[in-house]
């Protein structure tokens, strides 16, 4: 869809905005906002998406890529819950690869380079075809705040928004803020500073920041990020860089897709080069011209600017990836060269790299500083604990990255809709999803720097694999959450039943080692060992594939070839996953023990240190499981807290158990 057609459709779509009341209003059209709006509408809420610029909805503000180690898992889970970004990635991808292949499949990282225009157009088209979703261009001036519902926890209630153009107020039962880097955002380039969250876009209204801090009393902090200069492709000598081709068989993100829009032979390569001592010299000589790097705001640890890298690791050479921005684009994105020095110095720096010794800059790099809300003030539903009807998602919660934003946006949109429709909010456990790990880390531990997802953050990563996200989440998304379509649900049920049938067949296929060697002569199996092995046992061997088994037993296995890779992965990890079940069950029990939200931790008649009391009072964890993961909590404090909750049940033993559970929210 062309930009002109899209804008025409949006203009007609917005012109029908005759209502001043919605179930859910989403503020912001980035990855968090688009997923939140679509999810809220899928749940059944009449939803309004407000974005400052219609044409930038779904834009890739920084790098033209999606996925990676840890991040790819989030994309797969968002897709399993019927989100947008996985299918958008499959449509717009121009270079697909699986990162971390040298390690086990549990930590593989699906990733794709994207065509910026294709990605944006896909997201915009999906939003416009979503029932119950209206898109409106405008800037939100402030939130309307009223007295809370006395029957629910909270000191305030958000009831709607007011736009900066002075139009009539728009009311809503729930509001989702996904402001990205625009909340009190400032742009930096060299010694210049200007208000804004992204170059070329107007700054957000100061009224929104004021409402959050002054009216609602939320604790906020300051973070920073940056983006590299965009390079004119024809000015780069790519023969001096190392070519990195894509995978010959692209792996789609979405469980609904069997292939990507881009044909394998049409994919574009990426290129790898390195910094030189000249790059470090330019950085050091220009520090006095760079006010962004001198600020106190924390920047991203895992995607730092070249200035930060040089100062942190002097004398090292650093990778620079030259990535295409689209099939027909004449621009390269130099991943690893985020910088905020003056434009003329940026040109000097990039020309210190041999492949770019004659490079020309299309758009200079710049830095951004912005406000974020300390996420420990949120519940696992991503609702502000002190404010009824207000949900936050994305960089406003202290995260970095498209994938982290999309995951939060989807879950905030789901719960905003459920809240507006008088349904209970829902939470995802860290035992069942990377989204659960992400949200639990944010609301339990908070952030001191931009948060990025890694597989190492998930304790149960062998169970939370990219290949099984549909089995973990799609069925729950349809049956319990209400955000998954019947078409996707039926496909997930078909896959589940087929896999169970195939696994049962493999388990029933039992032969002696002698007979297995006859069936699979190329398999390296001990000749001394002479025990009975099942098909599942044999499939765990490194040199045995499901295709080999299907060839040996075509009558019972050949019709399961569709799931050959998934069956191999399941066979490899099943013993370890079975061992983890007890630990998962323990954590789930702790998470099912809710802590009353009106507890006065400062006067609680329990042996707790003053430090622990302050931590509990500040964060106010919703469950015992969340309390165990707070920084500063001791094992002894957890035991005392656990015994206190148990003692409440015992004290009220004469009252029917159902009433005790309802009053103290103990499940």
């Amino acid at each position: 869809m062309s930009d002109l057609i899209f804008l025409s459709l949006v203009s007609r779509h917005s012109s029908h905005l005759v209502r001043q009341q919605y179930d859910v209003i989403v503020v912001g059209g980035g990855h968090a906002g688009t997923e939140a709006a679509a999810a809220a509408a899928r749940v059944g809420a009449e939803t309004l998406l407000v974005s400052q610029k219609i044409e930038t909805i779904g834009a890739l503000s920084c790098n033209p890529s999606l996925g990676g180690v840890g991040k790819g898992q989030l994309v797969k889970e968002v897709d399993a819950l019927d989100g947008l970004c996985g299918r958008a990635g499959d449509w717009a991808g121009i270079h697909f690869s699986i990162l971390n292949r040298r390690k086990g499949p549990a930590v593989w990282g699906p990733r794709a380079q994207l065509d910026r225009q294709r990605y944006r157009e896909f997201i915009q088209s999906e939003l416009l075809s979503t029932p119950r979703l209206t898109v409106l261009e405008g800037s939100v001036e402030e939130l309307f705040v009223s007295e809370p519902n006395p029957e629910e926890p909270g000191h305030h209630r958000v009831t709607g928004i007011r736009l900066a153009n002075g139009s009539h107020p728009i009311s809503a039962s729930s509001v989702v803020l996904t402001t990205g880097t625009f909340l009190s955002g400032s742009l930096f380039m060299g010694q210049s500073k200007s208000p804004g969250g992204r170059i070329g876009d107007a700054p957000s209204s100061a009224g929104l920041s004021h409402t959050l801090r002054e009216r609602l009393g939320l604790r906020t902090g300051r973070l920073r990020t940056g983006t590299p200069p965009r390079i004119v492709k024809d000015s780069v000598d790519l023969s001096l860089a190392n070519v990195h081709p894509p995978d010959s068989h692209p792996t789609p993100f979405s469980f609904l897709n069997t292939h990507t829009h881009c044909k394998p032979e049409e994919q574009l390569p990426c290129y790898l080069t390195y910094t030189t001592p000249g790059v470090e010299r330019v950085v050091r000589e220009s520090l006095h011209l760079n006010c962004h790097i001198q600020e106190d705001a924390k920047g991203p640890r895992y995607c730092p600017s070249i200035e930060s890298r040089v100062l942190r690791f002097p004398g090292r050479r650093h990778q620079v990836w030259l990535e295409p921005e689209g099939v027909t684009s004449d621009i390269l994105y130099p991943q690893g060269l985020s910088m905020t020095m003056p434009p003329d110095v940026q040109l000097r720096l990039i020309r210190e790299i041999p492949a770019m010794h004659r490079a020309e800059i299309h758009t200079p790099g710049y830095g951004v500083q912005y406000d974020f809300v300390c996420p420990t003030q949120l519940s696992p539903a991503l609702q502000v604990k002190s404010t009824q009807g207000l949900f936050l998602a994305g960089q406003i919660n202290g995260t970095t990255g498209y994938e982290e934003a999309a995951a939060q946006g989807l879950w905030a949109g789901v719960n905003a809709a459920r809240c507006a429709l008088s349904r209970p909010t829902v939470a995802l456990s860290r035992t069942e999803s990377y989204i659960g790990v992400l949200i639990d880390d944010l609301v339990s531990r908070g952030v001191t720097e931009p948060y990025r997802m890694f597989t190492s953050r998930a304790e149960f990563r062998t169970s939370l694999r990219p290949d099984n996200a549909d089995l973990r989440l799609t069925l729950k998304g349809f049956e319990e959450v209400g955000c998954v379509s019947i078409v996707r649900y039926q496909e997930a049920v078909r896959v589940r039943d087929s896999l169970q049938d195939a696994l049962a067949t493999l388990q029933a296929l039992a032969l002696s080692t002698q007979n297995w060697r006859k069936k699979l002569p190329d398999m390296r199996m001990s000749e001394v060992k002479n025990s009975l092995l099942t098909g599942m046992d044999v499939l765990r061997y490194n040199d045995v594939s499901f295709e080999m088994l299907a060839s040996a037993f075509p009558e019972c296995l050949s019709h399961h070839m569709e799931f050959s890779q998934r069956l191999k992965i399941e066979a490899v990890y099943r013993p370890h996953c079975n061992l983890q079940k007890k630990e998962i069950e323990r954590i789930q029990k702790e998470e099912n023990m809710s802590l009353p939200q009106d507890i006065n931790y400062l006067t609680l008649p329990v042996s707790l240190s003053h430090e622990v009391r302050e931590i509990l009072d500040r964060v106010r964890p919703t469950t015992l499981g969340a309390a165990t993961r707070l920084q500063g909590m001791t094992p002894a404090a957890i035991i005392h807290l656990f015994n206190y909750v148990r003692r409440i049940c015992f004290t009220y033993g004469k009252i029917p158990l159902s009433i005790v559970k309802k009053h103290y929210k103990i499940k």
Side-chain angles (χ1 to χ4, degrees):
M1 182 188 294
S2 71
D3 288 348
L4 286 175
I5 295 174
F6 171 74
L7 289 174
S8 174
L9 285 171
V10 167
S11 177
R12 278 182 279 148
H13 200 59
S14 299
S15 67
H16 289 85
L17 182 66
V18 294
R19 60 195 301 156
Q20 298 301 320
Q21 170 72 46
Y22 286 84
D23 295 321
V24 176
I25 295 175
V26 178
V27 180
H31 285 76
T34 52
E35 294 289 357
R42 290 198 305 275
V43 171
E46 289 294 337
T47 305
L48 174 67
L49 172 62
V50 183
S51 178
Q52 282 194 342
K53 285 174 75 173
I54 290 293
E55 62 264 31
T56 60
I57 288 177
L60 299 165
S61 298
C62 196
N63 55 307
S65 65
L66 188 72
V69 179
K71 290 172 172 284
Q73 279 81 344
L74 287 175
V75 176
K76 298 286 283 188
E77 291 184 356
V78 168
D79 178 73
L81 290 166
D82 231 354
L84 307 177
C85 64
R87 288 180 292 120
D90 290 344
W91 177 263
I94 54 177
H95 175 117
F96 290 85
S97 59
I98 301 292
L99 306 184
N100 240 13
R101 275 195 188 271
R102 286 179 294 179
K103 298 185 179 180
V107 293
W108 286 355
R111 186 180 187 275
Q113 291 297 133
L114 306 175
D115 184 300
R116 289 186 186 274
Q117 182 176 343
R118 285 182 182 177
Y119 188 89
R120 187 178 72 249
E121 289 176 352
F122 183 94
I123 294 293
Q124 293 171 351
S125 177
E126 284 291 309
L127 292 178
L128 285 179
S129 62
T130 300
R132 295 180 294 276
L133 176 58
T134 301
V135 179
L136 177 67
E137 184 172 281
S139 178
V140 175
E141 177 68 28
E142 64 175 329
L143 301 176
F144 286 115
V145 181
S146 67
E147 292 299 312
N149 181 346
E151 296 181 359
E152 298 176 7
H155 307 304
H156 313 277
R157 179 165 190 81
V158 167
T159 58
I161 62 170
R162 183 169 67 84
L163 299 177
N165 61 10
S167 63
H168 293 293
I170 305 176
S171 301
S173 300
S174 299
V175 174
V176 185
L177 294 184
T178 65
T179 52
T181 58
F182 282 85
L183 195 64
S184 296
S186 298
L187 302 177
F188 292 81
M189 191 185 298
Q191 293 181 302
S192 68
K193 174 182 176 182
S194 60
R198 179 172 55 205
I199 200 164
D201 290 333
S204 64
S205 169
L208 196 55
S209 299
H210 182 269
T211 302
L212 295 176
R213 280 195 300 264
E214 306 303 327
R215 183 72 174 88
L216 301 181
L218 297 179
R219 298 190 309 277
T220 63
R222 196 83 172 150
L223 293 174
R224 72 181 182 197
T225 187
T227 190
R230 309 310 196 257
I231 310 300
V232 177
K233 184 177 181 179
D234 291 343
S235 67
V236 179
D237 187 352
L238 294 174
S239 67
L240 299 179
N242 301 321
V243 181
H244 278 252
D247 290 349
S248 56
H249 300 288
T251 302
F253 287 111
S254 178
F255 290 98
L256 294 182
N257 291 333
T258 57
H259 60 274
T260 61
H261 178 66
C262 183
K263 295 178 181 178
E265 64 275 13
E266 294 174 348
Q267 296 183 94
L268 302 179
C270 292
Y271 300 86
L272 176 63
T273 185
Y274 297 89
T275 61
T276 63
V279 168
E280 182 167 341
R281 185 183 67 254
V282 173
V283 168
R284 294 189 178 279
E285 289 176 353
S286 63
L287 285 177
H288 65 289
L289 300 175
N290 193 336
C291 62
H292 182 65
I293 202 69
Q294 298 167 15
E295 296 280 342
D296 293 331
K298 285 274 190 176
R301 176 186 296 266
Y302 303 104
C303 185
S305 65
I306 189 61
E307 297 98 327
S308 297
R309 291 187 183 196
V310 164
L311 295 176
R312 208 172 185 190
F313 306 107
R316 290 193 191 179
R317 71 171 190 166
H318 303 280
Q319 288 186 343
V320 178
W321 288 94
L322 301 177
E323 301 172 343
E325 294 212 341
V327 174
T328 60
S329 175
D330 60 352
I331 299 173
L332 290 175
Y333 181 93
Q335 178 81 288
L337 282 184
S338 173
M339 60 182 75
T340 57
M341 55 193 66
D344 60 318
V345 181
Q346 293 186 30
L347 185 61
R348 279 175 49 207
L349 185 147
I350 64 171
R351 287 185 172 180
E352 291 291 339
I353 298 173
M356 294 190 281
H357 66 286
R358 293 179 180 171
E360 296 293 337
I361 292 178
H362 180 275
T363 308
Y366 61 93
V368 187
Q369 291 186 19
Y370 56 96
D371 283 350
F372 76 101
V373 174
C374 301
T376 53
Q377 299 166 103
L378 307 180
S379 73
L382 295 179
Q383 182 175 13
V384 176
K385 294 176 184 177
S386 64
T387 306
Q388 299 167 6
L390 180 60
F391 297 78
L392 309 181
Q395 284 177 286
I396 193 174
N397 290 338
T399 60
T400 181
Y402 304 146
E403 304 81 2
E404 291 85 350
Q408 293 172 74
L410 184 145
W411 206 242
V414 160
N415 280 302
R418 291 181 65 87
C419 183
L421 299 173
S422 300
R423 301 175 193 167
T425 58
V426 286
L428 282 173
S429 167
R430 64 188 299 122
T431 64
E432 64 182 336
S433 66
Y434 273 84
I435 299 177
V437 172
L438 166 66
I439 294 174
D440 185 65
D441 282 351
L442 293 176
V443 303
S444 296
R445 302 172 184 176
V447 298
T448 56
E449 60 189 27
Y451 178 102
R452 183 204 192 279
M453 178 52 70
F454 288 103
T455 53
S456 58
R457 296 190 189 273
E459 305 94 317
F460 305 108
R461 51 189 170 273
T462 56
S463 300
L464 311 182
R465 305 188 304 272
D467 67 281
N468 67 5
D470 55 343
L471 300 186
R472 289 185 283 113
L473 296 175
T474 300
L475 277 66
K476 177 172 182 171
F478 180 84
E479 296 168 355
E480 301 176 31
V481 180
C483 65
V484 170
S485 70
I486 184 66
V487 173
R488 184 182 287 270
Y489 174 71
Q490 289 173 341
E491 173 63 11
V493 169
R494 183 191 73 83
V495 170
R496 179 199 63 188
D497 293 346
S498 298
L499 285 172
Q500 287 178 349
D501 183 42
L503 292 169
T505 302
L506 286 168
Q507 193 63 36
L509 197 64
L511 300 174
S512 67
T513 53
Q514 184 178 1
N515 285 331
W516 276 116
R517 282 194 295 271
K518 290 179 181 178
K519 284 284 187 179
L520 303 171
D522 294 333
M523 182 179 69
R524 286 175 287 181
M525 182 180 288
S526 172
E527 295 187 7
V528 178
K529 194 174 182 181
N530 193 24
S531 57
L532 207 63
L533 295 179
T534 68
M536 285 287 283
D537 297 326
V538 172
L539 193 53
R540 292 186 194 111
Y541 281 69
N542 289 335
D543 55 344
V544 175
S545 66
F546 183 80
E547 287 82 355
M548 293 168 62
L549 291 179
S551 178
F553 303 94
E555 66 283 352
C556 59
L557 292 179
S558 60
H559 59 286
H560 294 302
M561 281 297 296
E562 175 188 357
F563 305 106
S564 58
Q565 186 182 61
R566 292 187 69 161
L567 290 166
K568 172 70 175 181
I569 294 172
E570 187 66 35
V572 169
Y573 283 107
R574 177 158 284 198
H576 190 264
C577 291
N578 288 337
L579 290 174
Q580 283 189 334
K581 276 186 177 178
K582 284 188 177 180
E583 181 65 11
I584 290 174
E585 288 170 359
R586 180 190 68 79
I587 289 179
Q588 287 175 341
K589 285 180 181 178
E590 291 177 348
E591 290 180 337
N592 286 336
M593 184 171 283
S594 298
L595 298 174
Q597 288 302 289
D598 56 354
I599 284 183
N600 187 338
Y601 289 106
L602 301 179
T603 61
L604 199 66
V606 178
S607 178
L608 298 174
S609 69
H610 185 66
E611 178 187 5
V612 166
R613 290 178 187 274
E614 287 185 337
I615 292 171
L616 289 168
D617 185 63
R618 183 178 71 252
V619 179
R620 308 201 70 78
T622 55
T623 66
L624 186 68
T628 65
R629 294 184 286 275
L630 296 178
Q631 290 184 347
M633 287 295 290
T634 63
I638 295 298
I639 291 172
H640 291 317
L641 197 58
F642 172 76
N643 289 334
Y644 173 74
V645 176
R646 290 281 297 268
R647 201 159 57 242
I648 290 173
C649 297
F650 179 77
T651 301
Y652 285 81
K654 295 180 180 179
I655 301 175
L657 182 61
S658 60
I659 295 179
V660 175
K661 287 186 174 182
K662 182 178 180 182
H663 184 74
Y664 287 99
K665 302 179 183 177
I666 300 171
K667 298 178 181 177

